[in-house]
Amino acid sequence: MSQTQSRVPIIVTGGAGFIGSNFILQRLKHGSCSIINLDKLTYAGNLRNLESVSADQCYEFIRGDMGDRALVRRLLERSRPAAIVHFAAESHVDRSIRGPADFITTNIDGTFALLEETRAYWTALDADEKARFRFLHVSTDEVYGSLGPEDPPFSESTPYAPNSPYAASKAASDHLVRAYQHTYGLPTLTTNCSNNYGPFQFPEKLIPLMILNAKEGKPLPVYGDGMNVRDWLYVEDHCEAIATVLRDGRPGETYNIGGWNEKPNLEIVRVVCDLVDELLPRKESRRELITFVKDRPGHDRRYAMNAQKIERELGWRPRETFESGIRKTVCWYLEHEEWVRDVTSGGYREWIASHYSV
């Protein structure tokens, strides 16, 4: 049997997105599995992220919707995966405020359809295959709501209190995954992560938007007073954590994944400005481009993650400090102008212009 044939197959949903594509690249480099990437290719999905592995015999791309149950059924029957890693989701709070319907369709209805087909597939496996199979659902810290300045960080037992349509749709999908484990015995795992940053992130998100605007000398829009706090996690650390949970996590459990980096948005923007100034010097500091704009509706004040469980039980802790991770990220965006041009289409620019008004 060849090395390619001996690799365990897994299905990744949403693998052309930011975190999914980083996960696929990392896992194929690690060489522990073959991967089938099922992605609908919405605005944030970009196959250019995966150009380096497009010819890899251990990688296959299928364009399709996880809500297409017939497609998912055929894919499961053909590939006989040992695991499903479920990234596919609408994931931007601002977009969910403007148009929540897509978030309900993808994050709730789509996850339900995927769970139903997975349950049917898993039920038909033999005892050994059933015991090895895993369904890993990738979720967010936003399901927990907002923290006050002195509140303890979110733990796995923190009650859910989602405050945006996006967070509510992810909370609903988390509950579905939990119910399928409890009711049907499907061996599920859930991870709730803090704010990711790093290569291949769509430039509507804070860090890449600030890098690119700072490079081009454009205004740097900051919501409200800029003191909303987030815990920042470098994407490659997140992907390693997911692989650790997939390998060693206990079915039915939830694991919080955080970077131990609580920082207000304004500090993040200033750090980005200073790094761009260092790498692309100009006479004026990019900090002068910072522009405060009207706060978005229901903007959660603080997120923070207690990631002690995954460290204690599975031995994972992030490798990158914020200082090392943000430098790598700024350098990546400055060095990949062609990728940036490809994703920043006219439609994207119009959306940014309409949304971030002073």
Side-chain angles (χ1 to χ4, degrees):
M1 182 181 291
S2 71
Q3 184 181 8
T4 298
Q5 290 172 324
S6 66
R7 289 193 185 183
V8 176
I10 68 172
I11 291 176
V12 172
T13 69
F18 165 46
I19 305 174
S21 59
N22 275 283
F23 178 80
I24 290 173
L25 293 171
Q26 187 183 90
R27 289 304 95 200
L28 289 176
K29 183 178 180 180
H30 187 266
S32 59
C33 60
S34 62
I35 292 176
I36 301 100
N37 174 15
L38 175 64
D39 197 298
K40 190 178 178 181
L41 292 184
T42 58
Y43 74 95
N46 187 354
L47 287 181
R48 291 200 61 181
N49 300 0
L50 297 160
E51 279 182 336
S52 64
V53 298
S54 60
D56 193 321
Q57 292 185 342
C58 292
Y59 171 72
E60 179 184 5
F61 171 70
I62 304 291
R63 183 171 186 175
D65 188 344
M66 65 179 171
D68 182 344
R69 293 180 57 170
L71 171 63
V72 171
R73 189 178 311 128
R74 291 194 301 270
L75 189 56
L76 288 167
E77 291 171 353
R78 174 175 67 81
S79 61
R80 309 291 295 176
I84 294 175
V85 182
H86 177 34
F87 290 98
E90 295 285 347
S91 64
H92 194 224
V93 173
D94 295 350
R95 286 182 182 266
S96 80
I97 293 169
R98 293 244 173 153
D102 287 345
F103 290 74
I104 306 305
T105 299
T106 299
N107 299 352
I108 302 177
D109 295 341
T111 298
F112 167 70
L114 184 64
L115 283 167
E116 276 288 272
E117 291 306 320
T118 303
R119 177 169 69 96
Y121 163 75
W122 175 78
T123 300
L125 296 176
D126 64 35
D128 288 342
E129 290 174 320
K130 272 188 174 181
R132 287 193 296 268
F133 183 81
R134 296 290 184 269
F135 182 103
L136 193 155
H137 172 60
V138 180
S139 190
T140 173
D141 56 1
E142 298 195 35
V143 299
Y144 297 123
S146 184
L147 293 169
E150 305 303 323
D151 290 339
F154 301 131
S155 73
E156 289 81 358
S157 61
T158 300
Y160 277 28
N163 290 324
S164 70
Y166 161 60
S169 68
K170 288 298 289 184
S173 65
D174 291 9
H175 292 323
L176 282 170
V177 171
R178 172 185 169 87
Y180 272 64
Q181 192 279 328
H182 184 80
T183 302
Y184 304 114
L186 185 68
T188 67
L189 300 152
T190 297
T191 58
N192 293 86
C193 71
S194 59
N195 279 37
N196 278 220
Y197 67 100
F200 301 118
Q201 188 169 28
F202 196 72
E204 67 185 357
K205 297 299 180 76
L206 177 68
I207 287 177
L209 177 65
M210 295 302 125
I211 295 170
L212 299 176
N213 279 16
K215 175 191 173 186
E216 297 173 10
K218 296 179 179 178
L220 306 179
V222 176
Y223 281 132
D225 61 2
M227 298 310 293
N228 298 76
V229 173
R230 299 293 182 263
D231 174 19
W232 294 92
L233 173 66
Y234 190 62
V235 66
E236 291 185 9
D237 281 333
H238 184 199
C239 293
E240 287 184 355
I242 291 168
T244 300
V245 172
L246 187 63
R247 183 183 65 244
D248 299 327
R250 290 181 290 131
E253 291 293 314
T254 294
Y255 297 91
N256 280 356
I257 303 171
W260 301 103
N261 287 305
E262 280 190 66
K263 295 185 182 298
N265 290 343
L266 186 57
E267 180 181 340
I268 298 295
V269 177
R270 287 171 173 164
V271 168
V272 168
C273 288
D274 295 345
L275 283 169
V276 177
D277 282 345
E278 175 190 332
L279 297 165
L280 296 176
R282 70 173 203 172
K283 185 176 181 181
E284 300 85 8
S285 167
R286 264 89 172 183
R287 289 192 180 200
E288 296 179 8
L289 299 170
I290 295 173
T291 304
F292 293 95
V293 300
K294 181 181 178 182
D295 208 354
R296 73 183 181 206
H299 195 178
D300 289 340
R301 193 62 172 171
R302 173 177 169 246
Y303 303 150
M305 289 291 260
N306 181 336
Q308 291 178 342
K309 177 179 176 179
I310 190 173
E311 181 176 1
R312 181 179 66 250
E313 296 188 7
L314 306 183
W316 176 87
R317 188 173 176 87
R319 299 174 187 268
E320 299 290 343
T321 63
F322 181 75
E323 290 71 25
S324 65
I326 193 64
R327 178 173 288 274
K328 286 182 178 181
T329 302
V330 172
C331 288
W332 189 90
Y333 279 93
L334 296 182
E335 292 167 1
H336 289 79
E337 293 182 356
E338 187 176 351
W339 183 91
V340 171
R341 283 197 302 269
D342 185 55
V343 300
T344 52
S345 65
Y348 164 76
R349 290 193 296 271
E350 289 169 10
W351 189 89
I352 288 292
S354 69
H355 196 85
Y356 288 109
S357 57
V358 177

